[in-house]
Amino acid sequence: MIIVFGSMNVDLITPVKDFPHPGETVLCTSDYVSRSGGKGANQAVAAMRAGAKTVMVGKVGDDAFGRRSVNNLKNQGIWTTGIGISDTRPTGCATIAVNAQGENTIVVAPGANLEATSDQVPDEVLVSKNVVLTQLECAPKETFSVLARAEAKGCVTILNASPAGHIPKEALPNIDYLIVNEIEALQLARGVGIEDTDPRAIARKISDAGQHSCIITLAAKGAIAANKNGVFSIGALDVEVVDTTGAGDTFCGIFAAAILAGQSSLIALHRASVGAGLSCMALGAQDSAPAKDDIDAHLSRLQQAQKIG
Ligand code: RIB
């Protein structure tokens, strides 16, 4: 099973022609829509649709957004008994602007997500055949605690370091796969004194420093992965982009599902890139996540990962 320790938000999505500049007001090109989101929940949905039994652990507020977030996951077949309810803080909420090119800007009010604690993940599920998937929208201390406990029990551990944040040195050995986008990779690199700007060099150095696999997603250019066997590149599907929101989350969820199913990391990379591409063809971060059969049907459109270094 996949245990996702992470965030649940309600996303308020505003379609715009262009993003507003500071001090500017712009009108939407159509009505706003409100959808379930949050990096953790998005990854849980993507993993479940990709065929993995999935558990969500996190915290929502005692409010309509919280009930909606939990019900949405439950209705899709995700186990939600590990989700707590905050007495004091509201459910996380993200304001997302999507421009005519399908690019987005996101502002997150994390609220109750910051109250999720490591001890909500019971020891019983931290067993070696399980995969633990995390991001950085909950309190970092609790996220790194979950990773440390999971690694100690022999689980496969994945950190999607998004939004970018500091990863303490002592947490590095507890991460088997570190997944970031290009912007997060640059921020991470700067934080540990890596001067390179080429994603290949950054992935190599971060992988060496952490003794783990480092995957950098590159939007329309696919992704780079560095591990002890070398540096690998995977392309991206050529699709008509409607909304890229959550594409990185879909990538992480599908990657985790493939690893859980015993696939190699290169096959997982291939499946994740295909699925992330497919998810850009519809609005919203979760509704667009493809089913396993969709991913299977489109795999042949993308060449498998190639060794480039
Ligand atoms: O990655 C996309 C997600 O980021 C959105 O669903 C939003 O809630 C924020 O967490």
Side-chain angles (χ1 to χ4, degrees):
M1 113 192 357
I2 294 180
I3 297 110
V4 180
F5 178 80
S7 57
M8 287 157 281
N9 297 329
V10 167
D11 293 348
L12 302 178
I13 308 169
T14 54
V16 293
K17 184 167 174 288
D18 297 304
F19 298 128
H21 297 291
E24 187 186 12
T25 301
V26 296
L27 295 181
C28 285
T29 50
S30 56
D31 288 345
Y32 81 94
V33 289
S34 156
R35 297 277 164 86
S36 294
K39 294 184 192 304
N42 298 344
Q43 294 181 15
V45 169
M48 187 275 306
R49 290 207 187 143
K53 190 178 275 186
T54 305
V55 176
M56 180 77 210
V57 179
K59 209 157 246 189
V60 294
D62 187 5
D63 50 30
F65 275 7
R67 286 184 280 282
R68 177 176 153 183
S69 297
V70 176
N71 286 336
N72 166 60
L73 294 173
K74 206 186 281 179
N75 292 340
Q76 304 205 46
I78 292 168
W79 293 359
T80 56
T81 46
I83 298 175
I85 296 173
S86 167
D87 295 330
T88 51
R89 300 198 66 164
T91 300
C93 178
T95 310
I96 303 179
V98 178
N99 72 7
Q101 287 73 45
E103 300 164 325
N104 61 65
T105 60
I106 304 179
V107 179
V108 178
N113 291 306
L114 293 178
E115 289 193 347
T117 53
S118 170
D119 60 14
Q120 289 177 244
V121 181
D123 280 333
E124 293 70 48
V125 297
L126 297 179
V127 293
S128 62
K129 59 180 189 304
N130 288 347
V131 172
V132 171
L133 177 57
T134 61
Q135 324 74 34
L136 291 180
E137 276 186 339
C138 295
K141 177 173 160 279
E142 302 298 330
T143 302
F144 293 124
S145 162
V146 171
L147 288 167
R149 290 174 54 217
E151 184 72 17
K153 293 288 186 73
C155 302
V156 175
T157 56
I158 305 176
L159 172 64
N160 171 219
S162 179
H166 172 66
I167 304 178
K169 223 175 174 175
E170 60 276 15
L172 292 176
N174 300 326
I175 304 164
D176 296 321
Y177 297 96
L178 175 67
I179 306 178
V180 284
N181 69 19
E182 207 166 355
I183 296 169
E184 292 149 0
L186 277 173
Q187 290 172 343
L188 205 61
R190 295 286 165 281
V192 292
I194 298 171
E195 295 297 330
D196 302 79
T197 51
D198 174 15
R200 272 180 296 194
I202 295 177
R204 177 71 281 152
K205 288 187 180 172
I206 291 179
S207 168
D208 289 346
Q211 295 296 299
H212 50 220
S213 294
C214 174
I215 297 168
I216 303 180
T217 57
L218 305 170
K221 288 182 275 149
I224 295 285
N227 60 31
K228 59 181 184 334
N229 300 318
V231 182
F232 301 84
S233 165
I234 184 82
L237 274 193
D238 188 12
V239 293
E240 212 150 287
V241 173
V242 173
D243 179 13
T244 56
T245 309
D249 300 329
T250 302
F251 183 102
C252 293
I254 296 171
F255 184 86
I259 294 294
L260 179 77
Q263 307 279 8
S264 72
S265 61
L266 294 186
I267 301 283
L269 208 56
H270 187 211
R271 297 188 67 81
S273 191
V274 168
L278 293 173
S279 76
C280 295
M281 297 173 69
L283 195 70
Q286 290 182 17
D287 299 345
S288 56
K292 183 175 180 295
D293 291 349
D294 287 335
I295 301 169
D296 291 341
H298 290 272
L299 279 179
S300 61
R301 286 175 58 193
L302 192 67
Q303 202 187 3
Q304 289 192 358
Q306 301 294 307
K307 191 162 194 274
I308 54 166

